[in-house]
Amino acid sequence: MAITEERPEILELESGDTTSSTGVFARPTNATGWRAWLFTVDHKKIGIMYGVVAMFWFLWGGIEALLIRAQLFTPNGTVLTADQYNQLFTMHGTTMVFLVIMPLAAAFANYMVPLQIGARDVAFPRMNALGLWIFVFGGIFLNLSWFLGGGPDGGWFAYAPNTGVTFSPGAGMDFYALGLQIAGIASLVGAINLIVTIINMRAPGMTMLRMPVFTWMILVVQFLLLFALPVITVALILLSFDRTFDANFFNVSMGADPLLWQHLFWIFGHPEVYILILPSFGIVSETLPVFSRKPLFGYSVIVISGAAIGFMGWGVWAHHMFVSGLGPVGVAAFSATTMFIAVPTGVKILNWIATMWGGNLRFTLPMMFSVSLVSMFTIGGLSGVMHAVAPADTQQTDTYFIVAHFHYVLFGGALMGLFAGMYYWWPKAFGYRLNDKLGKWHFWAVLLGFNMAFGPMHILGLQGMARRHSRYGPEDGFDFWNAVVTIGAFVILIGMIIFAVNIVRSWLGYKEGTVPQEPADPWDGRTLEWAIPSPTPEHNFDYVPVVTDVDDFWHKKYQPDANGKLRKVADGNAIAQKGDQHPHLPSPSYWPIVLAAALPLIALGLIYNLWLTGIGLVLLLGSMFGWSLEPATDPDAGHGDHGDDHGPEEDGPDGNDKVEAETAEEAPVD
Amino acid sequence: MTDVAESSTSQLAYGPTDWDDHHHLPTNTGLTNEKITMWAFLGSDCLLFGSLVSTYLLLRNRVGPSTRGPTAADLFDIPFTSVSSFVLLMSSLTMVLAVTSIQRAEMERCKLWLLTTAALGSIFIAGQVYEFTGFYREGLGFTTNISSSAFFTLTGFHGVHVSLGIVMLVTMWVLVSGGYLGPDRAETIEIIGLYWHFVDIVWIVIFAVVYLIP
Amino acid sequence: METVAASEEDTHAEHHDHGLSDVGYIKIAIILGVLTAVEVATYFWDFGILEVPSLLILMVVKFQIVVSYFMHLKFDSKVFSYLFVTGLVLAMAVFAAMGTSMVFWQDPSGCDASSFC
């Protein structure tokens, strides 16, 4: 909606806004069409784009997986060469981790966190767009390698010195190192933005311990990203310098210790595991209470155990390296810490079960996916504890048992939770529900296919089938279960096709009017995002909500009567905001996408021709200046600012806002 | 469902409040978003330099079958580096003075201190370039051995940080000179100052751990 | 430099709720300079067994002074301290563990434990 056209009454600028008119070019003003998406700074559009792009990569990563499974369907498969197989399993892992699960979590975080904390946008809307576009270009760059001499082939963890020029002479690993670097910048930008948003932009009365659990888990994840990404950045820089500039970091003949890479990678890589799973934990912590019609059992315990996982996640990385010659002391120490970290995870699972216990369960699609997360993740978590036992791990390392384990936590855990989130928040984002019948088919096909595909891998692993091998012989006795696994993988494909059909059909039905418009509060929800219309209006909240409790919206609807029994006192759809106010919003901008486009240029130049890098750097610096000279909110768009990029400093440094903000923390009346 | 009070449905759960001032939503902490951003970034950068410093420490004396050339530590010119360390340290002082002068709205003085800081930073960078070329002439290039790769990467990254800081300082000088940045936005200078001091403390660590500790 | 700062000090009194005066900052800088001089002195004279510990202590003290005063952390909101110190402590802990693991715990075949290699 073109807010600007509807608000002619506020045209004068605030005094002292002399820095405004320095933008170099005219700003984009389109409210509809593709330009409205390309140059948007709206956290909701950005969230949706994260989701769309991630689903595209999910399709591609899935195709990679199916090719791998086709190769392994029979002994001595001939679908792929060994080299192609290496590239495919490397890119399958890299794609699913960096281009699917992380951005899907970013999609939910971008869309939902501002809504859940009662904000109109994130702290830095343009930086939000920048994060999206860097991610988009990073993904494209990474996959350009397919057309420029073959994909990376060193595994997603790229152990040195396998990734050096000697053993991986193609450009694939260069694309890996630089592509992940770009994706890392995107995540860092997004992480800082969300941290500041959550710390600083909560609605009045929403103290930290009144925040929805999803927002809490996203906060923990952003801190993990903030502190873990620099480590992988350095590791990738060392790798790039080795490959591009002939440095010696992983050159064993110069005395290098290849374990340095493994340490640096897993110091990042283990927090990364929690970066992948915690958003889904947050999602099910939202859905389970709603569909059990009970408050979350032990809210503060869930929050604290989430934060504890975040901290302890830093002390367990070397359990990925038990057979690398770590030495007995190191193995014992990291074995102990790894067993320890199962405690807060187990606490969460017990809390979810206790939430459902005795609840008035509604088995809607989000609920079904949530329950499947709890059960499937538990299986993966238990096999994870098995790996903590170093002697057992010595047997299981580099076998399909490990593959089974991390697919149970990442597919059965993270992805199931993300699907729960999709079905749960679809009405909020798009105004209609996905078809329930097709959704149930999707659920059962995925659950069945998932267990067929990854359950037998436990057996294969214990039988001794090594991972990352393109072939096994007929005499190995792996053929039956491998055939089952491959069939399971294609059952998952069927489930995903049903999901795609569901999206298209529900959308067409909504356009035609056969799928009904959903009200503000279709699930009888508990958190603030359900107190505004569906789909979310562009400005989110008509009025800034003042919060007095955890699950504040629920308490607006249900209150104890004289006997202390909870009674419904209001209908959520009736008391939801109407979306009819038009507060100020930050203006769209060209700069995020322009700045982001400079990064793949720089990276391509580092591989092929440094002149290209020079052009990229000029573009980068130029767009940085253009960016900083452009005010966050276009003064010509008719009105001032709602506090996004500036915060209270517009008031001058005399501290009035501090006083207000302190009362903000104390505002709630109990 | 039946006992839903008729009157309450006509009300919004979250109607207009005193908080609903479109222009000035206070932040929860009373701190500006920008300053929190810079501190979060600096916290993150601690891990970046932590990785680089520990990489250097682990690799600085390693030898393999084909190791050749001197190590970086063999060629250190401590008196020279001490001077450039001192220069960088003093640039932190001038940076602080730039911040306090813009807080007092003394724009001319702020400009002077900004330029001085940038100049001191440039002297440091020039010293680093001189040091690097000296090493190269003495046979220690980036690819010579594992210690040189680690050394040049660590100090080079610090140099890039300083150079970015210089660019930001000069930009600030341009903005202040052009009147685009007034005392009302003193915090912008303060935030860039934070970055500058961080670069300085990183050098304090590098100077002690890399250069002085044998 | 001193005289400029002194004149600034005169106009400074009514201003600024936290942090030091300009003269205060100059004093801090002098302290930092002296500490640096002591550090450099270890290069010219032999401090024996005390050399490494004293250098580390001086480094920490200088670090602390710059962060507390020049970066205002001592006077500023605790939020900033939490953000920065979390990163700092995490970096020190993680890389200390990594270094220990690579230097002291690794199989003897990998690396000579007598040197920090």
Side-chain angles (χ1 to χ4, degrees):
Chain A
M1 288 206 310
I3 305 263
T4 56
E5 290 155 20
E6 294 173 19
R7 287 187 60 85
E9 72 274 21
I10 304 174
L11 280 167
E12 74 278 14
L13 293 171
E14 291 176 53
S15 60
D17 206 354
T18 52
T19 59
S20 297
S21 52
T22 46
V24 182
F25 299 119
R27 296 181 79 128
T29 49
N30 309 64
T32 54
W34 58 273
R35 285 190 199 85
W37 289 86
L38 234 47
F39 307 125
T40 187
V41 293
D42 175 7
H43 73 99
K44 297 179 290 297
K45 280 183 177 154
I46 289 170
I48 290 170
M49 282 191 283
Y50 262 116
V52 170
V53 177
M55 288 313 277
F56 170 77
W57 292 124
F58 184 55
L59 173 70
W60 177 228
I63 291 171
E64 287 163 346
L66 292 173
L67 284 169
I68 294 169
R69 285 320 311 177
Q71 161 77 5
L72 296 176
F73 184 51
T74 54
N76 291 324
T78 51
V79 178
L80 305 169
T81 65
D83 192 33
Q84 288 167 336
Y85 185 87
N86 287 346
Q87 298 175 19
L88 282 169
F89 80 68
T90 300
M91 281 302 284
H92 168 70
T94 310
T95 305
M96 289 303 192
V97 167
F98 293 99
L99 304 184
V100 178
I101 297 184
M102 281 173 75
L104 273 180
F108 286 113
N110 270 303
Y111 200 105
M112 284 304 158
V113 163
L115 300 187
Q116 289 201 324
I117 63 173
R120 293 217 171 95
D121 209 318
V122 292
F124 302 103
R126 284 181 302 173
M127 254 168 71
N128 208 16
L130 177 70
L132 167 76
W133 292 115
I134 295 179
F135 153 69
V136 170
F137 289 125
I140 294 171
F141 175 81
L142 192 56
N143 281 279
L144 271 184
S145 59
W146 293 113
F147 309 104
L148 297 169
D153 52 5
W156 84 279
F157 36 61
Y159 276 179
N162 238 345
T163 47
V165 184
T166 322
F167 302 107
S168 185
M173 288 316 296
D174 294 318
F175 280 97
Y176 167 90
L178 295 165
L180 291 197
Q181 203 76 274
I182 295 174
I185 295 170
S187 297
L188 188 66
V189 169
I192 292 181
N193 199 354
L194 283 168
I195 287 172
V196 177
T197 305
I198 295 173
I199 290 181
N200 240 2
M201 298 185 69
R202 284 164 284 133
M206 180 167 282
T207 55
M208 293 302 272
L209 281 174
R210 286 180 189 153
M211 288 196 315
V213 178
F214 175 71
T215 301
W216 249 112
M217 291 304 110
I218 290 298
L219 181 64
V220 173
V221 166
Q222 306 314 315
F223 271 109
L224 287 175
L225 283 168
L226 180 73
F227 295 128
L229 284 168
V231 185
I232 186 80
T233 302
V234 168
L236 292 169
I237 284 168
L238 302 187
L239 177 61
S240 287
F241 281 7
D242 259 18
R243 292 186 58 92
T244 312
F245 303 127
D246 294 325
N248 301 303
F249 293 107
F250 306 115
N251 184 347
V252 179
S253 67
M254 287 286 190
D257 185 346
L259 276 194
L260 177 65
W261 169 271
Q262 295 196 21
H263 276 293
L264 289 178
F265 185 87
W266 289 117
I267 287 172
F268 153 80
H270 205 82
E272 169 76 12
V273 170
Y274 299 108
I275 290 165
L276 297 172
I277 191 67
L278 284 179
S280 294
F281 282 5
I283 290 171
V284 299
S285 303
E286 297 293 315
T287 55
L288 288 175
V290 166
F291 297 109
S292 308
R293 301 177 67 78
K294 275 177 67 190
L296 187 64
F297 183 87
Y299 165 86
S300 49
V301 178
I302 290 236
V303 166
I304 290 165
S305 63
I309 290 175
F311 269 105
M312 294 165 72
W314 287 90
V316 300
W317 77 86
H319 67 220
H320 297 269
M321 305 159 56
F322 277 161
V323 296
S324 66
L326 203 58
V329 186
V331 169
F334 283 103
S335 190
T337 55
T338 307
M339 288 180 206
F340 235 141
I341 204 170
V343 174
T345 319
V347 165
K348 276 182 176 289
I349 290 179
L350 285 176
N351 276 294
W352 291 328
I353 294 172
T355 304
M356 289 186 278
W357 185 271
N360 183 2
L361 305 187
R362 287 180 290 166
F363 279 96
T364 57
L365 283 162
M367 182 65 163
M368 291 164 81
F369 277 101
S370 302
V371 174
S372 79
L373 177 144
V374 176
S375 48
M376 294 302 114
F377 179 84
T378 304
I379 297 174
L382 288 175
S383 60
V385 178
M386 291 171 72
H387 299 144
V389 184
D393 184 70
T394 310
Q395 291 294 311
Q396 293 152 1
T397 284
D398 275 344
T399 70
Y400 268 79
F401 196 85
I402 298 282
V403 182
H405 158 70
F406 65 68
H407 280 95
Y408 265 85
V409 290
L410 290 184
F411 193 128
L415 211 51
M416 289 293 190
L418 291 167
F419 277 124
M422 283 184 213
Y423 282 102
Y424 180 56
W425 280 311
W426 203 277
K428 184 51 67 187
F430 301 107
Y432 61 93
R433 278 190 219 204
L434 291 173
N435 183 293
D436 200 54
K437 200 171 153 204
L438 283 173
K440 292 223 156 99
W441 276 102
H442 168 219
F443 171 76
W444 287 111
V446 167
L447 189 68
L448 175 77
F450 162 73
N451 279 292
M452 269 177 79
F454 302 111
M457 285 187 184
H458 290 107
I459 303 169
L460 284 169
L462 292 180
Q463 282 179 337
M465 182 170 170
R467 65 191 278 210
R468 294 187 228 113
H469 282 218
S470 61
R471 275 171 189 75
Y472 55 92
E475 70 285 357
D476 293 333
F478 300 149
D479 35 347
F480 174 71
W481 287 120
N482 266 306
V484 173
V485 167
T486 301
I487 293 167
F490 280 87
V491 175
I492 296 175
L493 171 69
I494 293 169
M496 292 307 167
I497 292 173
I498 296 170
F499 182 56
V501 170
N502 193 352
I503 292 174
V504 174
R505 276 192 48 183
S506 303
W507 180 65
L508 289 177
Y510 179 62
K511 290 262 152 193
E512 291 160 6
T514 52
V515 171
Q517 165 78 40
E518 288 297 322
D521 184 22
W523 309 113
D524 199 4
R526 310 179 72 87
T527 39
L528 286 181
E529 74 266 29
W530 305 110
I532 51 174
S534 306
T536 319
E538 190 168 358
H539 57 278
N540 299 354
F541 292 92
D542 290 344
Y543 311 106
V544 177
V546 178
V547 175
T548 57
D549 226 321
V550 183
D551 293 342
D552 198 66
F553 187 50
W554 175 268
H555 291 288
K556 291 278 193 287
K557 297 184 286 185
Y558 294 86
Q559 278 165 12
D561 63 9
N563 302 323
K565 197 168 161 33
L566 268 187
R567 292 274 171 188
K568 186 161 191 170
V569 295
D571 179 50
N573 297 317
I575 61 171
Q577 295 184 352
K578 305 300 173 213
D580 50 7
Q581 302 293 308
H582 299 288
H584 319 135
L585 291 171
S587 314
S589 172
Y590 292 119
W591 294 116
I593 191 168
V594 175
L595 204 165
L599 294 179
L601 275 184
I602 294 171
L604 272 176
L606 284 175
I607 299 177
Y608 293 108
N609 189 331
L610 285 178
W611 284 106
L612 209 53
T613 303
I615 296 171
L617 281 173
V618 170
L619 186 61
L620 183 76
L621 278 179
S623 45
M624 275 180 179
F625 277 105
W627 176 307
S628 48
L629 289 174
E630 178 189 77
T633 301
D634 186 1
D636 302 331
H639 36 72
D641 184 273
H642 76 89
D644 50 84
D645 247 358
H646 297 296
E649 96 240 58
E650 289 181 356
D651 278 337
D654 44 34
N656 283 341
D657 283 298
K658 269 186 193 153
V659 182
E660 274 177 22
E662 272 157 27
T663 39
E665 289 281 57
E666 290 154 17
V669 262
D670 272 315
Chain B
M1 282 291 175
T2 48
D3 55 1
V4 173
E6 204 57 42
S7 59
S8 64
T9 55
S10 63
Q11 295 173 349
L12 297 178
Y14 302 103
T17 66
D18 294 345
W19 296 102
D20 210 52
D21 172 21
H22 294 318
H23 290 277
H24 306 296
L25 272 182
T27 63
N28 297 91
T29 53
L31 312 168
T32 60
N33 294 337
E34 287 82 358
K35 205 166 166 188
I36 297 181
T37 298
M38 181 49 84
W39 275 109
F41 171 75
L42 297 183
S44 173
D45 236 19
C46 285
L47 274 288
L48 186 100
F49 280 105
S51 312
L52 287 167
V53 170
S54 49
T55 299
Y56 172 76
L57 290 180
L58 287 163
L59 299 183
R60 64 179 183 178
N61 288 327
R62 288 190 74 101
V63 287
S66 49
T67 293
R68 58 184 189 277
T71 67
D74 294 338
L75 303 179
F76 285 155
D77 181 356
I78 298 294
F80 178 81
T81 312
S82 302
V83 172
S84 57
S85 301
F86 186 76
V87 166
L88 194 62
L89 203 60
M90 288 306 113
S91 76
S92 264
L93 173 65
T94 56
M95 186 71 236
V96 164
L97 296 178
V99 174
T100 57
S101 39
I102 193 170
Q103 282 167 346
R104 289 192 300 263
E106 296 169 0
M107 305 316 283
E108 285 307 314
R109 195 162 276 163
C110 172
K111 276 161 56 187
L112 177 69
W113 288 128
L114 282 173
L115 266 196
T116 314
T117 312
L120 290 174
S122 308
I123 292 173
F124 175 84
I125 290 296
Q128 198 169 36
V129 170
Y130 175 79
E131 182 194 28
F132 282 9
T133 45
F135 283 6
Y136 185 74
R137 275 203 219 94
E138 292 177 69
L140 191 73
F142 181 63
T143 60
T144 307
N145 56 41
I146 197 163
S147 127
S148 73
S149 294
F151 172 80
F152 284 118
T153 305
L154 168 62
T155 49
F157 258 85
H158 180 263
V160 169
H161 272 75
V162 177
S163 307
L164 283 177
I166 295 170
V167 172
M168 287 195 266
L169 287 171
V170 172
T171 310
M172 287 304 119
W173 179 80
V174 171
L175 289 181
V176 173
S177 301
Y180 295 115
L181 199 146
D184 55 325
R185 290 178 64 195
E187 203 196 49
T188 307
I189 304 278
E190 190 187 339
I191 288 169
I192 285 171
L194 290 176
Y195 175 84
W196 190 260
H197 298 308
F198 177 77
V199 171
D200 186 24
I201 56 177
V202 169
W203 189 256
I204 288 175
V205 173
I206 292 179
F207 183 56
V209 171
V210 173
Y211 283 87
L212 289 177
I213 292 181
Chain C
M1 200 182 275
E2 290 269 9
T3 51
V4 172
S7 64
E8 276 172 3
E9 169 67 2
D10 299 334
T11 60
H12 186 254
E14 82 288 0
H15 220 281
H16 207 44
D17 48 338
H18 58 37
L20 302 177
S21 64
D22 284 358
V23 171
Y25 286 123
I26 290 169
K27 283 178 187 157
I28 294 287
I30 292 170
I31 294 171
L32 286 169
V34 171
L35 292 178
T36 308
V38 176
E39 280 185 326
V40 177
T42 62
Y43 172 74
F44 293 103
W45 292 284
D46 189 11
F47 281 54
I49 192 172
L50 287 176
E51 176 159 341
V52 173
S54 57
L55 276 172
L56 287 174
I57 291 168
L58 285 168
M59 176 186 93
V60 172
V61 170
K62 281 168 72 183
F63 191 101
Q64 174 78 27
I65 289 174
V66 174
V67 173
S68 309
Y69 294 96
F70 284 175
M71 294 171 91
H72 274 159
L73 214 46
K74 195 176 169 194
F75 314 104
D76 232 332
S77 164
K78 283 280 166 285
V79 174
F80 302 139
S81 302
Y82 294 144
L83 284 169
F84 185 65
V85 173
T86 308
L88 190 64
V89 170
L90 209 51
M92 291 194 296
V94 164
F95 293 113
M98 180 181 102
T100 313
S101 168
M102 286 186 72
V103 176
F104 300 111
W105 290 352
Q106 215 165 320
D107 283 345
S109 56
C111 173
D112 180 5
S114 65
S115 71
F116 197 49
C117 50

